[in-house]
Amino acid sequence: MVAYLLGSVFVLGWISWAVVKLAREEGEGGRAPIEVRSPSDRHLEGVRMSVFRDGKLDWDIRADEAVADESWDHIEFTAVHVDSRINDSESLQSRAPTGRVDRTTDVFELTGDVLTVADVNVAPETASGEKKTEKIEIRSDRMTAHEKDNKATFEGNVVATTTDYFVKAETMDANYDPKTHEILGFTGKGSVKVIDRKDPTTWGEGKEGVYDKKNGEIVLTGEPRIHQGDKISAGDKVLITLNDKKMVVLGSDKQPVQTIVPEKDVRQ
């Protein structure tokens, strides 16, 4: 893939998933084309990279600095801000101290203290056809967008904050539709905890947590349990329904529901 000039805008060739256009940020939100003076002119300041899919803006990447290799297949960013319009009602914004694009593997990565804010439809449509769009704030040490796998992965001290819950996990994947880029759900792994923000003494945990956007549910599995103060209930899975904000333990023949109550409560 060879970089070439198209009109007055620098275009980083065709890759399997997008066209990339690079410009320099100007005052008052303006943009100026970047003129590459020589193959060695690979250190740029105040840049904006626009990634297009099927003729539509997919990712809009802004950074204080960008440094590329000779082929422009690997680009390192400093002080990065990313915007992505998922659809008419959903979007994704991220910022991080550093980031990189690897065009050979179709991977985009943010590192450091990464903050991602997602506006997503978090529950099924109501009878009137209305959608509940909520802002989900995700903090992590790293975010990686895997274009070939149709997912974005958050790693390291992951905390997702919604209106009603804190969701903590070692890693969290955001799965999305390859055509529309619509977020289909989230999968958390490694000591997943869902904490009620209004009552922090109530929380569910499991080794894996799956948020299904279509059904508006979070399901915890892998030694799942609910903590309610000192009381602990365990079973086959924990079901959290977002519309009515209920958290319940469900049992099975192999794993019936069991509740442990502290001895002091039994005496009472």
Side-chain angles (χ1 to χ4, degrees), residues 96-97 110-114 139-143 154-158:
L110 296 176
T111 52
D113 183 12
V114 183
R139 292 187 177 274
S140 61
D141 295 332
R142 178 183 293 107
M143 186 197 82
F154 303 88
E155 300 175 276
N157 303 306
V158 182

Side-chain angles (χ1 to χ4, degrees), residues 48-244:
R48 181 172 183 175
M49 175 178 284
S50 300
V51 182
F52 292 80
R53 179 196 299 272
D54 299 328
K56 296 181 179 181
L57 182 62
D58 192 23
W59 294 86
D60 202 13
I61 305 169
R62 288 170 288 170
D64 286 357
E65 292 183 283
V67 180
D69 64 359
E70 292 184 359
S71 63
W72 285 81
D73 282 335
H74 305 276
I75 307 171
E76 303 284 340
F77 297 101
T78 302
V80 199
H81 184 97
V82 183
D83 288 296
S84 178
R85 171 61 59 181
I86 301 170
N87 53 46
D88 291 340
S89 60
E90 298 183 314
S91 63
L92 191 76
Q93 304 91 34
S94 298
R95 69 170 186 259
T98 57
R100 70 180 181 92
V101 168
D102 187 339
R103 296 169 61 230
T104 63
T105 58
D106 293 351
V107 168
F108 173 65
E109 183 179 80
L110 296 176
T111 52
D113 183 12
V114 183
L115 172 63
T116 301
V117 179
D119 287 306
V120 299
N121 298 321
V122 295
E125 293 184 8
T126 62
S128 61
E130 295 180 356
K131 295 180 179 180
K132 180 184 178 183
T133 301
E134 183 172 356
K135 205 175 289 290
I136 300 177
E137 182 181 285
I138 305 173
R139 292 187 177 274
S140 61
D141 295 332
R142 178 183 293 107
M143 186 197 82
T144 307
H146 308 266
E147 199 64 29
K148 292 180 179 178
D149 297 329
N150 299 311
K151 70 177 182 179
T153 299
F154 303 88
E155 300 175 276
N157 303 306
V158 182
V159 180
T161 304
T162 72
T163 301
D164 302 306
Y165 300 104
F166 293 115
V167 182
K168 299 183 178 182
E170 293 176 13
T171 66
M172 185 179 294
D173 290 333
N175 305 300
Y176 53 88
D177 186 285
K179 293 183 179 179
T180 65
H181 241 209
E182 177 185 3
I183 294 176
L184 302 176
F186 293 89
T187 300
K189 295 182 179 180
S191 185
V192 180
K193 295 182 179 180
V194 182
I195 305 168
D196 189 327
R197 292 187 63 182
K198 294 181 180 179
D199 180 13
T201 64
T202 298
W203 49 282
E205 67 174 339
K207 294 181 179 179
E208 181 173 285
V210 177
Y211 159 55
D212 183 343
K213 189 177 75 170
K214 182 179 179 180
N215 295 321
E217 298 175 345
I218 299 175
V219 177
L220 299 175
T221 56
E223 301 179 9
R225 57 185 65 192
I226 292 177
H227 297 254
Q228 295 172 295
D230 292 333
K231 184 174 72 174
I232 301 173
S233 300
D236 183 56
K237 60 184 178 182
V238 169
L239 176 65
I240 302 166
T241 51
L242 302 182
N243 265 343
D244 52 17

